[in-house]
Every structure is written in C-alpha cells, then in structure tokens.
Amino acid sequence: MLTSRMFLKRTRAGAVVKLVREHYLREDIPCGAAGCGRCPPRPAGPGLGLEARPSGAASSLCPGPHYLLPDTNLLLHQIDILEDPVIKNVIVLQTVLQEVRNRSAPVYKRIRDVIQNPEKHFYSFTNEHHRETYIEQQQGESSNDRNDRAIRVAVKWYNEHLKKIEDEEKIQVIFLTNDRANKEKALEEGITAYTCEEYIKSLVANPDLVDRLACVSDEGKEIESGKIIFPEHIPLSKLQQGIKSGIYVQGTYRASRDNYLEATVWVHGDAEENKEIIIQGLKHLNRAVHEDIVAVELLAKDEWVAPSSVVLQDDGQNEDDIENEEEKENILKTSVSKDMLRPTGRVVGIIKRNWRPFCGMLSKSEIKEARRHLFTPADRRIPRIRIETRQADTLEGQRIIVAIDGWPRNSRYPNGHFVKNLGSAGDKETETEVLLLEHDVPHQPFSQNVLSFLPKMPWSITEQDMKYREDLRHLCVCSVDPPGCTDIDDALHCREVENGNIEVGVHIADVSHFIRPGNALDEESAKRGTTVYLCEKRIDMVPELLSSNLCSLRSNVDRLAFSCIWEMNHKAEILKTRFTKSIINSKASLTYAEAQMRIDSATMNDDITISLRGLNKLAKILKKRRIDNGALVLSSPEVRFHMDSETHDPIDLQTKELKETNSMVEEFMLLANVSVAQKIYDEFPEFALLRKHPAPPPSNYDILVKAAKSQNLEIKTDSAKALAESLDKAESPAFPYLNTLLRIMATRCMMQAVYFCSGMDNDFHHYGLASPIYTHFTSPIRRYADIIVHRLLAVAIGADSTYPELTDKHKLAEMCKNLNYRHKMAQYAQRASVAFHTQLFFKSKGVVNEDAYILFVRKNAVVVLIPKYGLEGTVFFEEKGKPTPRLDYNNEVPSLTVEDTTLRVFDKVKVNVMLDASNIQHQKIRMVLVEPKV
C-alpha cells in the first residue's frame, strides 16, 4: 500500500517544481512478540521475550505479563532507568526513535545499544510503515501532537493484536509517559498508562531503582518553587536573534578549578578582541556548567573586573546560605590597576548543555533520615549536585556516578539522580575506572559487532594479500622497543647497496589492511582515536588480536607492513625515497637496552648488530642536522614505577633513563613521518592529514626569560633556532642540573601540537621539530591519525582505492577535532594515573625527606621538582588554622620572601614529602619545606 503527498517548491532560479513524496505501508512487519503466530517470522535479532515482564520485578500496578512502551520524553530523560538490567521487554517505536535521534545523539546511541542487547528484549517496531499504525497529520495539528497520537494508536494496536495470541495469560502493553496531557488522553482512550515514577515505585522487589529516576516534572521541566536565586534564561530563539544583532556573544563556558565563583567564556568566531570574557559571581554565572555553550551579555566597562587570584572552594553544606555566597563574592572585589581589567559579562542563556554523567562522592546530609543529599563531583569545575537517595548509608565512602537532570532558578545547586556505584574510594580498580570516565576515555570491551570484522583465525597471508605488495622477508629487519612491549608498530633495516650507498627502511604495521573504511571496527577505532597507556593498564584503540598479534611486528613471523625506503649516502643525505606495501619477517624484537648492548659490544658482528650500528651512525648525523636547523631538545621528568609482583602496588619510583637507541629509533620515525607528509600533501594538497606545532606567543616565554636572567643567563626566543642555541649555551659548571631545569621550564611554554586537514589551514610548520611539514605515519596500532595517513599514502602509490570520506576536507577536519580531543584526554588520563600511583607509593613510605629545586614562584607558594622521582609539587606557606607568615612576592626576579628567608627560582631546597589523605576524594601529595628554615 502506498500513500503519497504532493507539494510545490520554488528553486533558486525561480522555477516551480512539483515534488511527490511516496510513503510505503506494509502488512508484514512483525510485532516482535515471542510466540506470536499471526505475524510473519521476524528477522534474526533481539525481540520481545516470552517472560513478558521485567525480570524478577513484579509490579504491584500490573501483576500480569506486560510489555512497556515509552514515549519520546520519557526515553530522553529516563534512559538510565531503561538501561538497568531489571527493565526488559520494551517496545521502542520508530516515531520515538526518530524524535530521539533529532534531539539527542548520545541518548540515541545508548538506546540503539540497548536494542541490540539480546538479554534486554527491547524491540524496535517500525510503526510509521505499518498499515494499521501509520497516521496522517491532521489539519491544525502540530507535529508533536501528531507524534503523541501515533504513539497512542500503536499502543492500542498492540493491545488488540496481542489479545489474539492464544495464550492462557493475556499480555498487556503499558504506556509510560511523563506528559500529563498525553497520559489523560491515553486513559480516555482506554489505554493503561502510568508515569515512569508510578511504574518504578510499583516494582516492590527493586526499591533502589527509584534512585535512578531523573528529577523532572510531568512536563519535562525542572520542578520550581521557593525563593528565586538566579535570573531567568532567555529563550533560544531570542538568544539567536541577539547573537546575530551583536547584543550577545556565544562561547564555551569554562569553569575555574580554583574559584567556584569565577569562570571564563571562550568566544566563538574570529574576532581577536574580547576572545575571553570573565564571569564572576553566582548570579552572573547563572547555572552554566563547565563546557556548556552559552550566550553572554558584556557588562559596561566600569563593571569590568580582573581575574581573581583568590582560591575559593565550595565547601558549604547549607545549600540555602546565599548570604554567605554574597560575602565571598565581596572578597573577589579587590582594587586593581586599570590594565589588569578584562572584558566581563554575565550568562543570559544556555545554547547547548554539555552535561555528562559525573563521578564523585556523596556528601551525606547531617539531617537524620534525610533522603536529599549533596553529591560532590571529582572534577572541581562541576558544581555540587542535589540528589534523592534511600541508600545514603551504603553509598558513603563510595565512588558513584550521578547525572544532572536540570537546574531550577530557585535551587543553589542542580538537581540530579544516582546512576551507578563504582566501588570504594581509594581502591585501585575503582580509581582507575573513575580516571577513565572523568577523562572520557572509551574503555568498554569491544562489542561483538566490532569483533565480527576481525580476520578469522588461524590467519595466514594469501595470494590476494600479496597483490600490490613487495616481498621483503629476505631483509635483516629488527624492532627496538621498551621492555614488555607487545604492540610493535615499527621495525627497521639498514644495508649497504652495490653502488656504495646505504639503504634504510622503516617498516610500519599495515593496520589499514585489516581495518576497512566505514565498518564497525573502523568506526570504533576512529571514536577511540588513540591507545591510552596507564601505569598498569593499556586501553587499546584496536582489539588485542590486531594490536598484540596480527599487526604486531614480532620476530620470526611473517607480517604485512607499509614500508618507507630511502637510499642515502654516508652523510645521511636522502638520494631516493620510495613507499611500498610489503611483507616482512623481523629477525629480532629487541629492547632499547639490548640494542644498545649489541652496538657497544666488541665481539658481536652479526647482521642485526651491523644493521643497528649503521642506523645509529646515520641517526646521529640526522639528529645533529635537525638541531642545527633549529629543532628543540626539551625535557620532561618522566616517571617509571617498579611494581610489586603480587600486590601490584608501586614499590619503587624513578625517572626514566633514555639510551642512545631511543634517539636512534626516534630519528628514523621522524624522517619517515616527514617523507610521508610531503608525499601525501603533493598528491592530495586539499585533504592531507598533517600535524603542526604552532609557535608560542612571546608572552609564554616571560617566565623562562626571567628565570634564566636571575642566573645571569640570556635566553633568546625570537625563533626556535635562537631558543635551541641559547638553551645549549645556558650551562653552569657549578650547577649541572640547571640546563635540565631550563629545558623542563621551556617545555611548559610550548603550545599543543595538533592534527589538521591541509585544505583548511595555511600554517603547516612544526615549531618543535623545525620542520615545514609533518604528519603521523609510524604508529597505526595506537593512533587512528596514522591509519588515515596510511590510506592516503596507499591511494597515492596505487596500492588501494579511495572512498568519499577520505577526500572530504570538512569530514577530515571534524575527524581531526575528535583526534585532538582524544589525544589531549589520553595525556591527562596518563598524568592522573601517574599521580594516583605516586600517591600509592608515598602511602606506604610515610614521610620522605628529599632534595628538590624550585621551578616556579607563586604569591603564597613555591612549585618544586624532586629530580630523584621526577615529581613536582607545591609547597604552600598559608595553612588553615595557622598564623600566616609575612610574604613578599617579587615577579621580576621570580622570588618569594617568607618572613626573612628569600626563595628564588632554581634554588636547591630540602622538602618532606607525604600523602595528605584528609580529603578522601582529593588525596594529594603534600610537601613541606625543611631547608632553608622559614
């Protein structure tokens, strides 16, 4: 059966065209109910179960067998309830799915995942194409009302249809809606309908489910009553008009970690002026949450303020104590010079909420038997959240997840609901889970759908695989990696050729052979973006079968590779470059130490050792040339833990030692990345995926220049070359560690390197490497950017075919945005993991006395570095409950005088290091100055 609609449309050229929309209706769409003999067999996949009620959850409202059918708003707001294992046998209509897809991509993905889970028995019914459930929109009827009616029609049809199933107990379909008007209409039409709260409270065997109910009223708006604290948000349509006319500006809201009454808004667009707007005070912050997209109204210039240097943590328990807040706001208003003032504004409306589930801990109410409690998020930039729970005693001391539901004008804090208990605070597994969730690292096991695209085992190289591929198994190829490395991305070879020149090859795992564009495995790898290395755990970007087996270039097995081969002279000058897909057989998987031992050995002269010596000799020439061109050699104190083999707790902590072989491998990886970047850019100038490192603005170097000047050293920063040369000269015979400290400090001045699409940018330069062009090609097992680069290179040399997304610069730019975000988050997660393991280490050590150097000087503290551990920490001179010493801060010299003792940058000091566990949620390493005495 076919319905069609005709309408007229005017084209840009002014012509009128007739459009006909055809909508096909069918009678053979199955209802999904198990045991229904009236419908045609449903396609393979999840369907409704025979046991037609939530498992083990008898409802006091509907004791008989039943299926649930939610409307759109209920699905959007109560997805946490629907995901709970208790809730099964749910019909999700096409009407509802389409609306959810348009309104919330994250919720749409979550409901799709639930539908695909066979244990949940959720069934997606295509009601818009079923002859008996499709309805036309009536004249004067809104789309919303039409969709509500379509849902009610589908519920009625299901109940009539299921009556005809010959079963002793008739199955009923229960309509769940939080919309009062929709529920009333349903009841009038003889449909059994409940609100989500009514139904969940009727599941007597599962009282804890009530905690997961989102805190919204029947209209989907937050409940509002009581004293108004915040100004009203301007509606979206008016905000958009205001932004167009320049009354308001749009930007991303960034809350402060140190001061809960202050935030900045990063303005979207190209205007250089007013790039950053300061927001101060509760009413001006107006219920915005970190990372929301907001509309801001600039205040008059005489109301502008300076960024606050006050540290204010929100530690109040009484949520109605607004007078106290106003008192704190007055602390912010200190007199400052005019040139310190910054553009200041107030939030007038929210354009897009970027709420996510938050990890943290319950701050239990002091009122006995109370059900309302405050939840304190682990991220200090997120406000506390008010939740209702009956499990407060159980949840105390636990890490939990809470979602925000809304923030009414009369509430000091947003309302939310309990989602999940992660485990005891301080427990290693729990804290790792928190760390991954808080840094948005996708870490769930790979789904069956993703795994289905892996090669079937046992795997072997076929004749088809050899097409467009060179056989290089005869070459003496070897890999050099850290100890315990199982995801070996790269291998090298070096040999002399007949004409006396040297052939050098970098062979990279051919991951793009196994991950084909557009399938579920490719989409999952693109979403993850990078492998994340924690102290004791690796979160793989690709499944283990690829990362540690088929793509890992292990020794003495045939592996597929993508090779970059140069012919060089003995001065390491490149004469020829070629790229080819290949098959290799690595002759040795070495650690850096093993490779170094071979190079240094007087007795070893086998092929592998000769190859390594050739590589090392060329690498030294390449490195010298790179540094002469202005590449920077910076420093960062990297830490390595030695773990107890049974408890897996850190028993020793030391900085990583870098060998010559680390540098050797790095040089050839850099060279391969530059060669590939040039090749893909020459071939695809509009859509090459490249990596750039912007030059820092001069002001970034102020702290470095002042610190060097205090030691009578000059650091030049007008170019990378000038910086590199002046860092090389910045030596002090009496203080050998000074140069390392300066390089660590220079690292802090740098900008972040980012991926970009060549067709969307003009500046390709990589500042740190002093290279005009650069990309990532050498680590496709652990970086998705490299997979895209492999695909581009394969097309460039005719070894693979292209696909539309690969040559769409806008899609590539979007992808780069995600990759940059994932890389940044992976970095933060790695740092957080090191910080947590450092805390575990010092927990068992008690108080440790160590030498340290002052890196930075603050107004009331000094930041020190302990070289032995590569550990950085802050020594504060103001403590709660203790008299504050006299402090005199000098920004020019970088120094802080505490009473009569002056502390300068780079001074050697002694500190006591211990774990401060007074705040279980934010445990930290505490450092106290021992020498000099202050």
Side-chain angles (χ1 to χ4, degrees), residues 376-553:
T376 306
D379 187 340
R380 292 186 189 276
R381 294 168 300 188
I382 307 299
R384 292 163 144 210
I385 301 164
R386 189 172 56 185
I387 66 166
E388 284 196 23
T389 177
R390 303 152 188 246
Q391 316 173 57
D393 292 337
T394 319
L395 297 179
E396 205 174 6
Q398 302 285 298
R399 289 282 200 174
I400 63 173
I401 297 179
V402 162
I404 298 181
D405 300 321
W407 196 341
R409 292 173 60 200
N410 66 324
S411 172
R412 168 66 186 82
Y413 298 110
N415 294 327
H417 65 272
F418 167 74
V419 175
K420 189 182 178 186
N421 183 357
L422 295 172
S424 300
D427 171 75
K428 206 183 306 182
E429 286 299 308
T430 305
E431 294 302 332
T432 302
E433 179 73 6
V434 168
L435 187 152
L436 293 168
L437 288 166
E438 279 300 291
H439 294 96
D440 195 14
V441 174
H443 60 286
Q444 63 287 358
F446 290 99
S447 70
Q448 282 310 117
N449 189 22
V450 167
L451 297 175
S452 69
F453 287 96
L454 291 173
K456 303 292 171 269
M457 297 301 283
W459 174 84
S460 61
I461 295 168
T462 65
E463 219 171 286
Q464 183 61 31
D465 294 334
M466 290 303 295
K467 211 176 168 189
Y468 308 118
R469 212 172 272 280
E470 232 177 281
D471 191 340
L472 303 178
R473 283 176 286 194
H474 61 285
L475 293 176
C476 184
V477 170
C478 67
S479 62
V480 186
D481 289 283
C485 177
T486 59
D487 52 346
I488 302 170
D489 280 296
D490 53 86
L492 299 151
H493 89 267
C494 173
R495 64 174 183 170
E496 200 160 297
V497 286
E498 287 170 11
N499 61 9
N501 289 329
I502 304 166
E503 178 187 271
V504 176
V506 165
H507 310 276
I508 305 298
D510 189 3
V511 182
S512 63
H513 173 82
F514 298 96
I515 301 181
R516 302 309 295 161
N519 67 24
L521 175 57
D522 183 44
E523 283 173 0
E524 182 64 25
S525 308
K527 184 183 112 182
R528 293 184 178 219
T530 180
T531 291
V532 181
Y533 295 90
L534 305 180
C535 291
E536 274 189 282
K537 198 175 185 175
R538 189 179 82 200
I539 313 296
D540 280 329
M541 180 184 84
V542 298
E544 196 175 5
L545 178 66
L546 296 183
S547 67
S548 296
N549 186 350
L550 302 184
C551 291
S552 186
L553 305 181

Side-chain angles (χ1 to χ4, degrees), residues 675-719:
S675 296
V676 171
Q678 196 58 59
K679 176 70 178 172
I680 60 171
Y681 178 63
D682 289 346
E683 204 69 32
F684 308 114
E686 281 295 295
F687 35 80
L689 191 155
L690 302 174
R691 188 164 175 81
K692 68 171 180 175
H693 182 215
S699 59
N700 278 29
Y701 287 125
D702 287 354
I703 196 156
L704 174 68
V705 172
K706 281 178 186 173
K709 198 176 171 189
S710 72
Q711 301 290 316
N712 297 318
L713 294 168
E714 187 187 8
I715 296 285
K716 291 181 176 168
T717 60
D718 34 349
S719 70

